[in-house]
Amino acid sequence: MISTTRLLGIAGLCAAVPFMGLADTSDKSIALSNNYAGNSWRQAMLESWQKVTAQAVEEGVVSAADAFTTAENQATEQAAQIQNMILQGYDAIVINSASPTALNGAVKEACDAGIVVVSFDGIVTEPCAWRIAVDFQEMGRQQVEYLASRLPEGGNLLEIRGLAGVFVDDEIHAGIAAGVQEHPDFKVAAAVNGDWAQDVAQKAVAGVLPSLPDIAGVVTQGGDGYGAAQAFAASGRDMPIIVMGNRHDEMEWWKQAHEENGYETVSLSIAPGVSTLAFWVAQQVLDGADVPKDLTVPFLKVTQEDLEEVLASTQAGGVANVEYTLDDAKAVISDAAQ
Amino acid sequence: MNRDQLRILLPVVSLAVLLGAVFWLQPRAMSYLGLNLLFNLAVPIALATIAQMLIIMVNDLDLSIGTFVSFVACVTATLVQTDPVLGYLVLAAGIAGYAAMGALIHLRNLPAIVVTLGMSFVWGGLAVLILPSPGGASPEWLRSLMTVKPPLVPMAIVASVVIAVAAHLLVRRSAFGVVLRGVGGNAASVERAGWSVLKAKAAAYALAGFFGTLSGMALVGLTTAADANIALRYTLLSIAGVILGGGEFTGGRVSPVGAVIGALTLALAGSFLSFMRLSPDWQIGAQGAILILVLAVRLLVSRGRGRRVAA
């Protein structure tokens, strides 16, 4: 009797295992190939990876999840790094790539060796790899949408752009242009380049302000909202609604302004913890789940309600972060499948 | 053992030691596929190193080779693919540009470092013009050439041997090579013997441009696409490769076989450190340390010999 019960128990356990998505990948190893670690966003990205994967390894979800960063931010070096990972026998490689195309040869080698390749943030175009991309256009469009909800009668906008000639800058700008087209009451009165840096943005905004009409809202790209606020404060103009980008200094300023005069805005950017989303997606692919090749990273949006909470958990000089869970990954996958 | 044999001995030993260490750390590398994965990205580096060696051979230094290879990669991934005639014309114009650069440096007696540094911005700008955002595609024949699987010995090893032998015949076994090395050794006597130093320098630079072009094409064959910054590292890697391979900055004393081995050694050093799981913060330093170690051993060996000769 005892043995029968035990057998039934084991059978039950076995039946439960595939459902939980465990054990199937317990002997699999995943590597992170990262091209750059020199700013706070990438540092937070690596910390999140370390935190989430260490727990996953401990719980036996995967056998190893090692992070590698190339010494120099160069595509040829990262290609060599990926080829080394093939030799080291990893089952999946998660990539934040130095170039969308220059790693394709190495990625193809990995796919040919039967390795699952998942790219995120800096994605690769090789068709055999999975891509978790940021929809930067949507990021621009949502800013105008928020402003339209706050300012139904429209008004003049100031656009702060990023570093000229970089893909991300063009994409966010295109999204903002699309948003303005949807809400024709808004008019972009001027655009300046803030290079995603507070000091550059402050100088650029201060330089252009005297020639501008009343500004109702400022659309940004992240890393430039605090500088814009400083420039407006110094000019003695009314403070417009400045869309923030989840940086600590931006949220800190926002919180103070809210306490002083009830200032409200919204803040959105990509959480560095997206590396952990890529980890879970790779785990799901290894587990045999049917995952579409193109997935989209959800934005991390900070509203007035959760400002205090997010600010408290964000390091000074850092950017708001969130670590993703297996369930988050499954939600992203099923969204993309629809 | 003569001087040339000794010059080649140290690079060979360094490569063998490093290869042994890699095999010990990662036995999987000891296979056809493994060797190819270890060395295939070293093939374009070896070609760029030969290009750099040809410039160093005439007592100059080329700081533009990395951007030139990037430029060639961009042309190969776009024009050669869509409009082959125009594409090859542009590549030929690049080589002609190198020859003109060599002639200019000689005629105006300009420092090569300054001219090539300036040219690096020109090549970089042209690369961005041709391919503003990363992309393009490798010509089909190039991709199949770089991924060919010859029997027994992997492509990366075959290609390295072919490059080394071709450069060796050109530089050390041909009359032309003797004149070129003579320009580096003693330009005045080459001039007095009736050779045109101007033509020789232009030819050396044109050859360097030719090998740089091969390097860019090989790189695109491996990566399947290009971007304007793809090979920036090659400038320093190629200089290090020449020196590691037993070359010297002056006097036309270079070794083509050594240069190829130097390039392979540098590529292998990166893999070795990666297999060691060394933190990236230390990797650049460790790569430098390997380089200094090899050069220190070379200095000791050559000093020891000098003393013996004196005695």
Side-chain angles (χ1 to χ4, degrees):
Chain A
M1 273 311 280
I2 292 168
S3 65
T4 324
T5 325
R6 198 176 281 166
L7 269 178
L8 277 175
I10 291 169
L13 201 68
C14 289
V17 162
F19 176 72
M20 286 156 64
L22 283 174
D24 275 346
T25 57
S26 61
D27 60 337
K28 307 281 190 193
S29 56
I30 300 178
L32 170 66
S33 164
N34 175 40
N35 67 309
Y36 181 63
N39 61 27
S40 59
W41 198 93
R42 290 296 178 106
Q43 287 294 337
M45 181 193 98
L46 290 170
E47 270 170 39
S48 294
W49 172 274
Q50 176 59 31
K51 199 165 128 193
V52 169
T53 61
Q55 199 187 349
V57 170
E58 202 171 295
E59 288 169 1
V61 180
V62 292
S63 68
D66 306 315
F68 296 86
T69 301
T70 50
E72 282 174 272
N73 181 13
Q74 289 282 313
T76 44
E77 210 188 348
Q78 198 175 11
Q81 183 192 52
I82 290 170
Q83 299 197 154
N84 288 337
M85 288 173 177
I86 303 172
L87 281 177
Q88 282 165 291
Y90 287 101
D91 298 290
I93 301 175
V94 173
I95 302 175
N96 193 345
S97 167
S99 156
T101 53
L103 298 184
N104 282 355
V107 170
K108 188 80 178 46
E109 297 269 4
C111 292
D112 289 348
I115 296 169
V116 170
V117 179
V118 177
S119 62
F120 71 98
D121 186 35
I123 54 166
V124 297
T125 55
E126 169 59 48
C128 73
W130 276 261
R131 276 163 293 282
I132 306 179
V134 179
D135 189 351
F136 287 110
Q137 290 212 14
E138 180 64 16
M139 202 163 137
R141 211 188 56 76
Q142 281 194 9
Q143 295 188 37
V144 184
E145 200 161 77
Y146 171 77
L147 289 176
S149 73
R150 290 282 308 278
L151 306 163
E153 72 282 6
N156 288 314
L157 300 183
L158 172 64
E159 180 182 0
I160 306 181
R161 297 188 60 166
L163 207 55
V166 177
F167 162 80
V168 174
D169 171 57
D170 290 335
E171 288 287 299
I172 298 182
H173 170 70
I176 288 171
V180 170
Q181 218 159 34
E182 272 176 46
H183 303 279
D185 291 337
F186 287 108
K187 182 172 161 286
V188 176
V192 294
N193 284 95
D195 297 1
W196 303 307
Q198 308 292 6
D199 54 336
V200 181
Q202 182 173 351
K203 253 183 257 166
V205 173
V208 76
L209 265 187
S211 66
L212 293 183
D214 274 343
I215 297 293
V218 180
V219 279
T220 62
Q221 299 201 350
D224 42 15
Y226 176 73
Q230 294 299 316
F232 270 96
S235 75
R237 285 174 172 240
D238 286 340
M239 189 60 70
I241 302 174
I242 303 172
V243 180
M244 296 297 179
N246 289 5
R247 267 61 169 190
H248 182 268
D249 49 5
E250 295 175 346
M251 293 190 291
E252 183 75 35
W253 177 87
W254 174 10
K255 184 178 160 232
Q256 274 177 13
H258 182 72
E259 280 162 6
E260 278 165 26
N261 53 29
Y263 186 83
E264 277 189 30
T265 183
V266 74
S267 175
L268 70 168
S269 185
I270 304 301
V274 61
S275 60
T276 60
L277 182 68
F279 168 77
W280 289 116
V281 168
Q283 189 269 342
Q284 282 295 292
V285 176
L286 286 175
D287 200 15
D290 188 18
V291 181
K293 289 268 159 133
D294 287 286
L295 304 169
T296 306
V297 180
F299 300 116
L300 178 59
K301 203 178 205 171
V302 183
T303 58
Q304 194 65 57
E305 288 83 63
D306 43 36
L307 173 64
E308 302 249 341
E309 189 190 334
V310 175
L311 186 59
S313 64
T314 305
Q315 285 178 343
V319 53
N321 196 8
V322 60
E323 270 115 26
Y324 293 91
T325 63
L326 178 57
D327 290 333
D328 293 331
K330 281 178 175 167
V332 167
I333 291 167
S334 64
D335 278 354
Q338 278 161 16
Chain B
M1 214 192 270
N2 68 30
R3 217 174 62 181
D4 285 340
Q5 281 168 330
L6 192 77
R7 191 186 293 284
I8 200 71
L9 188 68
L10 193 64
V12 171
V13 171
S14 332
L15 181 65
V17 168
L18 212 48
L19 197 60
V22 165
F23 283 165
W24 177 67
L25 279 173
Q26 190 52 259
R28 247 184 280 234
M30 222 181 326
S31 65
Y32 182 94
L33 185 73
L35 281 174
N36 205 34
L37 285 176
L38 274 183
F39 287 121
N40 67 2
L41 283 165
V43 172
I45 301 178
L47 286 162
T49 306
I50 294 293
Q52 184 68 260
M53 183 201 75
L54 290 161
I55 305 279
I56 289 180
M57 189 171 67
V58 292
N59 283 359
D60 287 343
L61 200 61
D62 185 1
L63 296 185
S64 65
I65 192 72
T67 49
F68 179 71
V69 171
S70 304
F71 161 75
V72 170
C74 290
V75 174
T76 308
T78 54
L79 292 177
V80 171
Q81 166 81 359
T82 53
D83 187 353
V85 179
L86 180 66
Y88 290 115
L89 273 178
V90 172
L91 291 182
I95 296 174
Y98 251 80
M101 190 161 77
L104 181 76
I105 286 169
H106 177 69
L107 280 178
R108 309 305 306 167
N109 204 14
L110 299 168
I113 290 186
V114 177
V115 176
T116 54
L117 182 65
M119 280 307 285
S120 72
F121 296 104
V122 175
W123 299 127
L126 288 174
V128 173
L129 275 182
I130 291 171
L131 194 63
S133 57
S138 161
E140 208 50 54
W141 64 268
L142 196 55
R143 177 72 187 149
S144 23
L145 181 71
M146 294 310 291
T147 52
V148 71
K149 292 202 162 48
L152 298 175
V153 187
M155 180 284 295
I157 308 296
V158 175
S160 302
V161 171
V162 169
I163 295 165
V165 169
H168 181 79
L169 291 178
L170 185 72
V171 171
R172 320 249 355 156
R173 287 280 176 271
S174 73
F176 177 60
V178 173
V179 175
L180 289 190
R181 280 186 288 139
V183 170
N186 190 339
S189 61
V190 170
E191 185 103 64
R192 231 170 280 135
W195 300 94
S196 161
V197 176
L198 173 69
K199 277 185 193 163
K201 270 221 167 173
Y205 273 77
L207 263 179
F210 175 69
F211 276 99
T213 304
L214 291 185
S215 169
M217 295 179 77
L219 186 56
V220 172
L222 285 171
T223 59
T224 74
D227 96 36
N229 302 320
I230 192 165
L232 298 188
R233 273 186 92 222
Y234 283 17
T235 302
L236 290 180
L237 275 180
S238 64
I239 298 173
V242 173
I243 302 307
L244 203 57
E248 284 170 33
F249 278 122
T250 53
R253 281 191 286 271
V254 292
S255 157
V257 177
V260 171
I261 293 176
L264 297 184
T265 308
L266 282 174
L268 202 57
S271 300
F272 171 70
L273 295 173
S274 170
F275 291 147
M276 288 238 308
R277 296 276 175 91
L278 202 66
S279 137
D281 302 337
W282 294 96
Q283 273 192 20
I284 294 187
Q287 245 162 347
I290 292 180
L291 205 65
I292 291 173
L293 186 74
V294 173
L295 294 184
V297 172
R298 179 165 113 191
L299 201 66
L300 284 178
V301 169
S302 61
R303 268 211 191 143
R305 271 181 58 81
R307 224 170 270 144
R308 242 177 294 143
V309 171

